[in-house]
């Protein structure tokens, strides 16, 4: 076999179109892209880290601002509520210490003083009432008629006041249901302030209960003022056990449409707390009111706690986007400036890879790139000269080998053919003799081909046909031959004298001794675009052991025939077209044999013929 490096060089020259297609489709990772991507990734990671840190910092500050604002709102609201409750307590003290304690209830009624106090505070009060220990109404302001079925001794505010006489007691909001509804006194929502008092009479002090019904609307109005947008933040009021006194969505809660975590919030200490309720994270701020123990609770959903961060978020995103765009442009400019000399040198190497004659090698840029360019130029010149010398030597070797192969045509075939012609002439078979001479002349004309080794497939098939015509006469039509060659492949290149040796083997080792021998020659272009010529016979075939060495061991070439064995045909095809082309043999004993010739689809032109014969790049390929 030939030297592998030389074969590869010829394979590359003869497969230029495949290399060009590869170069068009290849997408190498350039240094410029690597540098640009690397710097961009580093810059992006740094900016993202900085953006996340800034955003987290702003988020913490925003959350702190919201909680501070909520605490401030609660402080102001608690002060207002405590001021209101304090005024009610002072009024209760005034009634008790200045009116009730100084009078003998059995002889005179404190109704006038209570009416005066009521009139002074009627915007905040619904009613004032004084009861004895056994639940008897002493007096009430404004004047009202007690419902006959009402028993105040069973109501919580009454029992609590007597049970703990030392304290003032505030009830949950409820509808006043003690007095008869008339045009001057309607039902109202109230919060009751009750306390135990001493009633003077007959010199024996008795216990009683003073009831101050505060207008719940006052408390509601105060809290509604801080609940302008309950969907984002709201405030509600509950007692120390969690019972709701006021809630902006109280109707929804009572209807079961909304739930509140009030029982848990009542257990919180004063300050801000984070909790998760109904799969929603929220910030809960609690403030306890003096006198009552009520808790004012502010609720801020976490999803809304960052609403104030929208502008900052957009600002940070805009800054990051602008910075990233600037970094991309800067990285690209720097990478292009750094890699431009390398890219130019790479283009020079690509030209060399594609086999361009006398490629322009870039020499410039930094000293390292300039040194590489000069070294590449010198190396290319040396390799080019060595290749020229090697190609010339190899071409001479191929021509000598081809001449030697062609000279192996068995003179015995020529002798037998001439002897047959003499016999025909002596037998006055002049037409047959003329036919034999014509076929023999055509046979040798194609064999010589003016010294050409590359001929059109049409000529090669004509040569094979002439040979088979002679053989049919010699063997007295002992077999049939059929040629089926597609017109489109007849003007493609082939090495000459590759079909005739295969036909000769088919005659001598396949169908010569058969009564109904058949040989078929078929030529066509395959789906892969290459040329295929098959020679099949229905002869005796051969075993797999014989097939194994038929194209690899030239010591097994058979003695009969022209002497130009299949291994020589295989070698001649591969010398011209490359290792991927050549012969493929399929056979089984008593099943005949099929020999397939595989050739590249190279259109036959004078330029391509000279390129193939000289071993240089051909100018017109498909």
């Amino acid at each position: 076999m030939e030297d592998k490096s030389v074969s590869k060089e010829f394979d590359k020259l003869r497969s230029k179109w495949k290399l060009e297609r590869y170069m068009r489709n290849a997408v190498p990772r350039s240094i410029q892209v690597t540098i640009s991507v690397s710097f961009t990734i580093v810059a992006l990671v740094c900016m993202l880290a900085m953006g996340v840190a800034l955003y987290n910092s702003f988020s913490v500050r925003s959350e702190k601002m919201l909680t501070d604002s909520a605490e401030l709102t609660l402080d102001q609201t608690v002060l207002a509520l405590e001021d209101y409750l304090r005024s009610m307590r002072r009024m209760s003290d005034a009634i008790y210490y200045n009116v009730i304690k100084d009078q003998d209830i059995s002889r005179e009624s404190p109704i006038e003083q209570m009416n005066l106090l009521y009139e002074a505070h009627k915007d905040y009060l619904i009613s004032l009432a004084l009861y004895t220990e056994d639940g008897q109404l002493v007096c009430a302001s404004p004047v009202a008629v007690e419902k006959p079925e009402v028993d105040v001794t069973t109501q919580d505010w009454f029992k609590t006041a007597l049970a703990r006489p030392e304290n003032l007691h505030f009830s949950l909001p409820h509808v006043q249901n003690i007095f008869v509804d008339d045009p001057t006194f309607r039902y109202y929502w109230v919060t009751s302030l009750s306390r135990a008092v001493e009633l003077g009479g007959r010199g024996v002090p008795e216990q009683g209960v003073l009831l101050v019904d505060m207008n719940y609307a006052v408390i509601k109005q105060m809290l509604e003022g801080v609940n302008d947008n309950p969907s984002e933040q709201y405030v509600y009021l509950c007692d120390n056990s969690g019972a709701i006194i006021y809630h902006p969505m109280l109707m929804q809660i009572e209807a079961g449409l909304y739930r509140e975590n009030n029982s848990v919030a009542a257990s919180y200490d004063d300050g801000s707390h984070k909790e998760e309720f109904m799969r929603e994270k929220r910030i809960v701020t609690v403030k306890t009111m003096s006198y009552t123990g009520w808790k004012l609770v502010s609720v801020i959903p976490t999803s809304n706690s960052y609403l104030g961060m929208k502008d900052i978020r957009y600002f940070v995103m805009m800054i990051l986007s602008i910075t990233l765009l600037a970094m991309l442009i800067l990285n690209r400019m720097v990478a292009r400036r750094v890699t431009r000399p390398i890219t130019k040198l790479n283009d020079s190497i690509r030209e060399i890879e594609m086999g361009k004659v006398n490629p322009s090698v870039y020499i410039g840029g930094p000293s390292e790139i300039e040194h590489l360019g000069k070294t590449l130029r010198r190396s290319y010149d040396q390799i080019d000269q060595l290749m020229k010398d090697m190609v010339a030597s190899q071409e001479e070797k191929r021509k000598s080998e081809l001449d030697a192969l062609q000279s192996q045509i068995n003179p015995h075939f020529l002798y037998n053919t001439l002897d047959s012609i003499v016999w025909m002439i002596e037998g006055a078979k002049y037409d047959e003799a003329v036919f034999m001479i014509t076929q023999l002349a055509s046979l040798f004309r194609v064999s010589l081909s003016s010294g050409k080794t590359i001929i059109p497939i049409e000529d090669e098939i004509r040569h094979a046909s002439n040979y088979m015509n002679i053989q049919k006469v010699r063997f007295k039509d002992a077999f049939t031959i059929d040629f089926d060659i597609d017109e489109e492949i007849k003007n493609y290149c082939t090495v000459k004298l590759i079909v005739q040796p295969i036909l000769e083997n088919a005659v001598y080792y396949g169908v010569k001794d058969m009564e109904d021998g058949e040989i078929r020659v078929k030529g066509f272009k395959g789906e892969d675009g290459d040329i295929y010529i098959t020679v099949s016979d229905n002869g005796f075939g051969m075993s797999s052991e014989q097939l194994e060495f038929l194209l690899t061991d030239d010591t097994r070439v058979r003695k009969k025939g022209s002497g130009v064995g299949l291994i020589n045909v295989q070698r001649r095809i591969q010398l011209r077209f490359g290792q991927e082309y050549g012969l493929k043999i399929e056979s089984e004993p008593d099943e005949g044999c099929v020999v397939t010739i595989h050739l590249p689809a190279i259109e036959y032109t004078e330029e391509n013929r000279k390129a193939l014969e000289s071993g240089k790049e051909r100018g017109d390929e498909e």
Side-chain angles (χ1 to χ4, degrees):
M1 299 299 289
E2 298 298 326
D3 185 75
K4 291 184 178 180
S5 62
V6 176
S7 298
K8 288 181 179 179
E9 177 64 22
F10 283 108
D11 292 343
K12 184 189 71 173
L13 295 176
R14 295 184 180 93
S15 304
K16 175 182 174 183
W17 64 277
K18 293 182 179 180
L19 178 60
E20 290 176 335
R21 180 187 299 173
Y22 168 78
M23 295 305 296
R24 286 195 301 268
N25 295 334
V27 185
R29 182 185 296 175
S30 66
I31 297 177
Q32 178 178 337
V33 172
T34 302
I35 293 175
S36 298
V37 171
S38 301
F39 276 103
T40 301
I41 291 175
V42 171
L44 182 60
V45 170
C46 292
M47 286 188 292
L48 286 177
M50 181 179 65
V52 170
L54 287 175
Y55 185 74
N56 288 337
S57 176
F58 286 137
S59 298
V60 172
R61 289 179 179 272
S62 175
E63 184 176 310
K64 183 67 167 55
M65 291 174 61
L66 287 173
T67 55
D68 290 345
S69 175
E71 290 181 359
L72 180 60
T73 301
L74 291 183
D75 288 340
Q76 293 174 347
T77 307
V78 165
L79 286 176
L81 286 172
E82 287 182 344
D83 186 60
Y84 168 65
L85 296 176
R86 190 181 298 112
S87 65
M88 295 298 100
R89 177 175 179 174
R90 287 174 181 171
M91 185 187 64
S92 174
D93 289 341
I95 295 174
Y96 178 42
Y97 293 110
N98 298 332
V99 178
I100 298 174
K101 210 166 189 181
D102 294 340
Q103 291 185 355
D104 185 356
I105 300 302
S106 62
R107 290 183 297 179
E108 56 182 336
S109 173
I111 187 62
E112 293 183 4
Q113 292 89 339
M114 291 176 65
N115 285 336
L116 291 174
L117 289 172
Y118 173 79
E119 289 296 329
H121 300 87
K122 65 180 181 180
D123 292 338
Y124 308 107
L125 293 175
I126 296 299
S127 65
L128 299 172
L130 179 62
Y131 287 91
T132 63
E133 185 178 8
D134 55 2
Q136 295 297 317
L137 177 63
V138 177
C139 61
S141 179
V143 178
V145 178
E146 188 179 24
K147 290 182 178 181
E149 71 276 8
V150 171
D151 183 6
V152 297
T153 60
T154 62
Q155 298 191 7
D156 290 339
W157 59 268
F158 190 88
K159 293 188 293 184
T160 304
L162 292 177
R164 290 183 290 176
E166 69 279 2
N167 295 331
L168 278 75
H169 307 282
F170 294 87
S171 71
L172 295 177
H174 61 278
V175 176
Q176 189 191 65
N177 59 353
I178 300 175
F179 303 105
V180 177
D181 184 18
D182 57 29
T184 61
F185 197 86
R186 297 173 299 173
Y187 290 141
Y188 291 93
W189 276 88
V190 298
T191 301
S192 297
L193 168 61
S194 60
R195 66 187 297 171
V197 296
E198 289 184 0
L199 302 176
R202 303 187 186 93
V204 180
E206 298 179 10
Q207 267 197 329
V209 176
L210 176 62
L211 174 65
V212 178
D213 280 336
M214 299 176 291
N215 192 349
Y216 174 72
V218 176
I219 297 176
K220 182 178 180 182
Q221 185 177 4
M222 290 182 182
L223 294 177
E224 284 180 346
V226 296
N227 284 301
D228 54 345
N229 192 358
S231 62
E232 294 185 3
Q233 176 182 355
Y234 61 88
V235 175
Y236 69 91
L237 183 65
C238 64
D239 64 8
N240 54 9
S241 64
I244 293 178
I245 299 172
Y246 166 82
H247 198 289
M249 289 171 281
L250 184 60
M251 295 180 64
Q252 292 92 321
I253 293 175
E254 292 177 347
L257 301 177
Y258 189 81
R259 293 178 60 187
E260 185 56 73
N261 198 24
N262 49 295
S263 59
V264 176
S267 65
Y268 290 155
D269 295 330
D270 287 4
S272 296
H273 308 269
K274 290 184 178 180
E275 68 174 15
E276 184 173 349
F277 180 67
M278 299 292 291
R279 297 183 179 179
E280 180 183 45
K281 294 182 179 181
R282 22 191 242 175
I283 301 172
V284 178
T285 306
V286 179
K287 186 72 174 180
T288 304
M289 297 175 57
S290 58
Y291 304 118
T292 62
W294 293 350
K295 290 182 179 288
L296 195 62
V297 183
S298 170
V299 178
I300 304 175
T302 303
S303 58
N304 295 328
S305 64
Y306 298 105
L307 291 177
M309 290 289 294
K310 282 186 177 179
D311 293 339
I312 296 177
R313 186 186 309 168
Y314 294 148
F315 178 75
V316 171
M317 291 177 62
M318 182 181 68
I319 293 297
L320 290 178
S321 300
I322 294 174
T323 305
L324 179 60
L325 180 60
M327 289 296 296
L328 287 173
I329 296 174
L330 182 62
N331 288 344
R332 183 173 179 81
M333 292 174 61
V334 172
R336 182 180 295 176
R337 183 175 181 84
V338 171
T339 60
R340 185 180 298 145
I342 301 177
T343 303
K344 290 184 177 180
L345 186 60
N346 182 66
D347 293 338
S348 301
I349 295 175
R350 185 170 297 178
E351 289 184 6
I352 295 174
E353 277 187 323
M354 294 178 65
K356 184 177 180 180
V357 179
N358 194 23
S360 59
V361 178
Y362 173 75
I363 300 175
S367 57
E368 296 86 352
I369 305 301
E370 184 178 359
H371 177 70
L372 287 174
K374 291 179 179 179
T375 303
L376 180 63
R377 178 77 258 181
R378 288 195 299 270
S379 299
Y380 174 78
D381 292 340
Q382 293 174 0
I383 293 173
D384 185 58
Q385 186 59 45
L386 288 173
M387 287 303 302
K388 288 179 180 178
D389 296 342
M390 189 179 296
V391 168
S393 173
Q394 187 64 25
E395 182 62 23
E396 291 298 325
K397 183 178 180 180
R398 281 202 306 272
K399 289 182 179 179
S400 299
E401 184 181 67
L402 184 59
D403 292 340
L405 290 172
Q406 291 180 192
S407 66
Q408 293 177 16
I409 297 178
N410 194 343
H412 187 66
F413 166 73
L414 179 60
Y415 170 77
N416 288 337
T417 302
L418 293 175
D419 186 58
S420 297
I421 293 172
V422 171
W423 173 79
M424 290 177 184
I425 294 174
E426 288 178 350
K429 297 180 180 180
Y430 301 117
D431 292 337
E432 295 181 6
V434 170
F435 176 76
M436 287 282 283
I437 294 172
T438 302
Q439 296 298 311
L440 185 62
S442 178
L443 179 72
F444 278 99
R445 183 166 54 251
V446 175
S447 298
L448 296 175
S449 301
S450 301
K452 301 175 184 177
T453 58
I454 301 298
I455 61 175
I457 291 177
E458 183 178 13
D459 291 349
E460 176 65 14
I461 297 301
R462 184 183 302 114
H463 174 271
S465 177
N466 294 333
Y467 172 78
M468 292 305 294
N469 288 335
I470 294 173
Q471 291 290 51
K472 286 179 65 178
V473 173
R474 289 185 58 214
F475 289 100
K476 303 184 185 305
D477 293 320
F479 54 85
T480 61
I481 178 72
D482 178 47
F483 288 89
D484 181 13
I485 309 300
D486 291 348
E487 288 294 329
E488 66 170 326
I489 72 168
K490 288 185 177 181
N491 197 39
Y492 285 91
C493 294
T494 181
V495 179
K496 70 179 179 180
L497 302 182
I498 59 173
V499 178
Q500 180 264 330
I502 299 173
L503 289 172
E504 187 172 2
N505 284 341
V507 172
Y508 282 99
Y509 306 112
V511 301
K512 181 184 68 172
D513 298 324
M514 297 178 62
E515 294 182 357
D516 56 349
E518 295 180 359
I519 299 175
R520 289 179 56 85
V521 181
K522 182 177 179 63
F524 58 93
K525 180 182 285 190
E527 294 181 357
D528 57 358
D530 289 343
I531 303 299
Y532 294 89
I533 300 174
T534 62
V535 178
S536 58
D537 63 70
N538 62 344
F540 299 106
M542 63 188 75
S543 66
S544 57
E545 291 79 8
Q546 291 175 304
L547 283 176
E548 182 178 358
F549 300 101
L550 204 55
L551 296 177
T552 57
D553 190 355
D554 53 7
T555 62
R556 295 175 178 260
V557 176
R558 300 177 184 180
K559 302 301 183 181
K560 297 181 181 180
S562 68
V564 184
L566 297 182
I567 190 171
N568 288 336
V569 174
Q570 167 90 338
R571 189 176 299 173
R572 289 164 59 209
I573 293 174
Q574 293 183 343
L575 280 172
R576 288 299 180 187
F577 299 114
Q579 296 297 317
E580 66 267 32
Y581 302 104
L583 301 182
K584 178 182 177 182
I585 304 176
E586 300 172 279
S587 180
E588 291 183 8
D590 299 325
E591 295 292 336
C593 181
V594 179
V595 180
T596 302
I597 304 172
H598 181 194
L599 302 172
I602 304 173
E603 187 177 354
Y604 184 83
T605 63
E606 191 64 21
E607 183 179 2
N608 286 346
R609 181 191 67 79
K610 291 180 180 179
L612 288 172
E613 290 186 350
S614 64
K616 298 178 181 179
E617 294 185 23
R618 57 186 184 273
D620 187 11
E621 293 185 9
E622 293 189 6

